[in-house]
Amino acid sequence: MVAFLRWLGSIFFGAVNGILKFALAILMIVLLLVVIGLARGDGLPGNMVLSLDLRAPIKDSGVSDGFSLGAHPNTVMDTVLALDRAGRDSRVKGVFLRVGTADMPVAQAEEIGAALKRFRATGKFVVADANGFFSNGLGDYLTAASADEIWMQPGSPFGAAGAGASAIFLRGLFDKIDAVPQIVKRADYKSAADMYMEKQRTPADREQTTAFLQSWVDSATDAAAADRHLDPKAVAAAFAASPQFAADAKKAGLIDKIGYDDDARNAALARAGEGATVTPIRKYIRAAETSGEYGSGSRIALIEAAGEIVDGTTHHDGMIGDGNTIAGDDMAAAIRQATKDPAVKAILLRIDSPGGSVTASDQILDAVKKAQAAGKPVVVSMGMLAASGGYYIATSANKIVADPATLTGSIGVLTGKVAIGKSLGLLGVGADDIGVGKNALFDSSINPYTPEQLANLNGQADAIYADFTQKVAAGRKIPLAQVQTIAK
């Protein structure tokens, strides 16, 4: 019996010893992999030229679903943050920039251009290349003007000329088909409903549209002139000569060299020195996200609000938003999550939105205010557009930062409908409403508002407008009378 127990004990201790050896081997392998990983770093080369391709439209922000990093294609924010990080990275010697076909908004060009100039200020270079500047707008060229040198393909077009805006007005059509548009607005410059209510631009809309287009042209012209060390009047004259060709742009000093894309790329590599390689900025961004470089500890939460503001959530059936909408539930939840996180010391709220639902906007603003009440400062960064509800959700922020060409404000209200019951009759389509309750059919698209209902609608618009302007006055610490004057 004793011999049997000794035999059993030897088997047991042998098994334990084997398990311990196996565990130790696994631990050693893990440690070896960690050491190899540390030695390799993020896997990027030691002498890089980042390639930044801005020839397709780029979204301002990613999915409106919190403040995690990297779950979306390249955005303006990704690009700006990556360029700032690259400026501190000794392995990055320069940037090879491709532009010309995105018709980039001037505000985006200003923001990315500012990041490129900060990058250059660290002693690094930017070489821009264009197969041509095909848009009549100034954004693509303004981005390129932030580079050390600009290349264009021989014989390619230089179209940068100015800024324009078109509008279509449907009132004449509605009159022909007996459709009845009834949309009230506060105030005269709140022009989004004019396409339904008017046959042509109102004087107020013509005034404001001309003003912001002129602002874009002036801002872009002055910035390009400063970047190219040219007289603003000369740059304005050069833009006025467009459309033209690469040789004309070179003669005017708008570009530096004429050559093909590989010529410009080789010039960038030559400036970087022997052994330099071109690395896409997307790869550079991903390497930072996967290497743990962002680390832990105290953080600033970046919350991106991009698209039209809507009520509810975009998480139906397990799906998440695609960055084209700002859902009130989702955005408020993201802000609340950042508020509760003890590691988050401040919130950066990035806004690129034309507005939308007033109730969703108010829900988001409430979350911002509660974050501030909890001791979390909120700074708003505006992209190319932060208008109406997009401005509403920013009103209480500790600071609001915008680009010179950011289109913002639009402090106002639109509400109403287009009744098409008679229009359907012209097509031989019968339509009929039955409602139980005095105003059960208030929002019916078949019949117009009654005079009493229209008075009710105007009362709603007045109340919402008064609340909006009051929130602006309180948030921006501006007297209400002054806000009312500006808001018109």
Side-chain angles (χ1 to χ4, degrees), residues 341-431:
D341 189 337
V344 172
K345 304 305 179 184
I347 296 171
L348 175 59
L349 178 60
R350 174 68 173 192
I351 300 173
D352 176 40
S353 172
S357 164
V358 65
T359 50
S361 298
D362 200 46
Q363 179 185 17
I364 295 166
L365 177 61
D366 177 70
V368 170
K369 289 179 178 179
K370 287 175 179 173
Q372 293 172 297
K376 304 286 176 80
V378 178
V379 174
V380 164
S381 168
M382 291 180 172
M384 62 181 177
L385 184 62
S388 195
Y391 182 75
Y392 188 114
I393 65 177
T395 51
S396 78
N398 298 75
K399 294 286 183 183
I400 299 176
V401 181
D403 293 298
T406 296
L407 194 59
T408 187
S410 188
I411 300 166
V413 182
L414 296 172
T415 184
K417 67 180 182 181
V418 178
I420 60 171
K422 290 185 178 179
S423 306
L424 295 173
L426 293 176
L427 300 174
V429 178

Side-chain angles (χ1 to χ4, degrees), residues 167-173 185 191 193-206:
I168 294 176
F169 299 92
L170 302 175
R171 183 57 185 263
L173 172 63
K185 65 180 182 180
S191 60
D194 289 354
M195 70 176 295
Y196 304 105
M197 297 297 295
E198 306 292 341
K199 294 182 179 180
Q200 59 186 7
R201 285 191 191 275
T202 63
D205 186 36
R206 183 170 298 279

Side-chain angles (χ1 to χ4, degrees), residues 186-187 189-190 410-412 465 469 482-488:
R186 301 292 184 276
Y189 292 90
K190 190 73 173 180
S410 188
I411 300 166
Y465 187 63
T469 52
Q482 184 180 349
V483 170
Q484 291 169 337
T485 299
I486 298 169
K488 293 179 181 179

Side-chain angles (χ1 to χ4, degrees), residues 207-287:
E207 178 189 356
Q208 71 174 353
T209 303
T210 302
F212 71 68
L213 292 175
Q214 188 65 57
S215 173
W216 288 345
V217 171
D218 291 345
S219 177
T221 300
D222 290 344
D227 291 340
R228 299 294 301 169
H229 307 291
L230 297 170
D231 184 280
K233 292 182 180 179
V235 174
F239 288 155
S242 294
Q244 53 193 309
F245 292 100
D248 303 309
K250 186 175 186 298
K251 184 177 180 180
L254 297 179
I255 68 168
D256 299 290
K257 297 183 179 180
I258 294 179
Y260 291 90
D261 56 298
D262 61 332
D263 298 321
R265 184 176 183 274
N266 290 336
L269 288 171
R271 292 185 65 162
E274 186 176 353
T277 59
V278 174
T279 300
I281 198 167
R282 178 74 268 174
K283 184 176 181 180
Y284 186 75
I285 292 169
R286 286 286 183 245

Side-chain angles (χ1 to χ4, degrees), residues 62-306:
V63 174
S64 313
D65 187 43
F67 49 95
S68 58
L69 292 164
H72 48 251
N74 252 19
T75 65
V76 172
M77 291 300 293
D78 290 330
T79 301
V80 167
L81 294 174
L83 288 171
D84 286 342
R85 185 169 67 89
R88 302 186 297 269
D89 190 336
S90 61
R91 300 171 300 172
V92 179
K93 303 303 189 296
V95 168
F96 178 49
L97 175 67
R98 305 295 304 281
V99 292
T101 56
D103 194 13
M104 182 176 289
V106 171
Q108 281 191 353
E110 288 172 337
E111 189 156 12
I112 295 175
L116 289 168
K117 283 181 274 193
R118 290 194 299 270
F119 176 82
R120 288 177 56 196
T122 65
K124 304 181 183 189
F125 66 85
V126 178
V127 173
D129 171 69
N131 292 105
F133 290 97
F134 294 91
S135 169
N136 297 133
L138 301 178
D140 291 338
Y141 177 73
L142 182 58
T143 308
S146 302
D148 295 88
E149 62 183 48
I150 305 173
W151 290 66
M152 281 186 71
Q153 185 169 306
S156 62
F158 185 92
S166 301
I168 294 176
F169 299 92
L170 302 175
R171 183 57 185 263
L173 172 63
F174 288 160
D175 289 347
K176 289 180 181 296
I177 63 173
D178 288 336
V180 183
Q182 293 173 297
I183 301 175
V184 301
K185 65 180 182 180
R186 301 292 184 276
D188 290 345
Y189 292 90
K190 190 73 173 180
S191 60
D194 289 354
M195 70 176 295
Y196 304 105
M197 297 297 295
E198 306 292 341
K199 294 182 179 180
Q200 59 186 7
R201 285 191 191 275
T202 63
D205 186 36
R206 183 170 298 279
E207 178 189 356
Q208 71 174 353
T209 303
T210 302
F212 71 68
L213 292 175
Q214 188 65 57
S215 173
W216 288 345
V217 171
D218 291 345
S219 177
T221 300
D222 290 344
D227 291 340
R228 299 294 301 169
H229 307 291
L230 297 170
D231 184 280
K233 292 182 180 179
V235 174
F239 288 155
S242 294
Q244 53 193 309
F245 292 100
D248 303 309
K250 186 175 186 298
K251 184 177 180 180
L254 297 179
I255 68 168
D256 299 290
K257 297 183 179 180
I258 294 179
Y260 291 90
D261 56 298
D262 61 332
D263 298 321
R265 184 176 183 274
N266 290 336
L269 288 171
R271 292 185 65 162
E274 186 176 353
T277 59
V278 174
T279 300
I281 198 167
R282 178 74 268 174
K283 184 176 181 180
Y284 186 75
I285 292 169
R286 286 286 183 245
E289 293 166 353
T290 57
S291 67
E293 181 175 325
Y294 291 107
S296 56
S298 297
R299 293 182 294 157
I300 295 173
L302 169 60
I303 301 179
E304 298 179 322

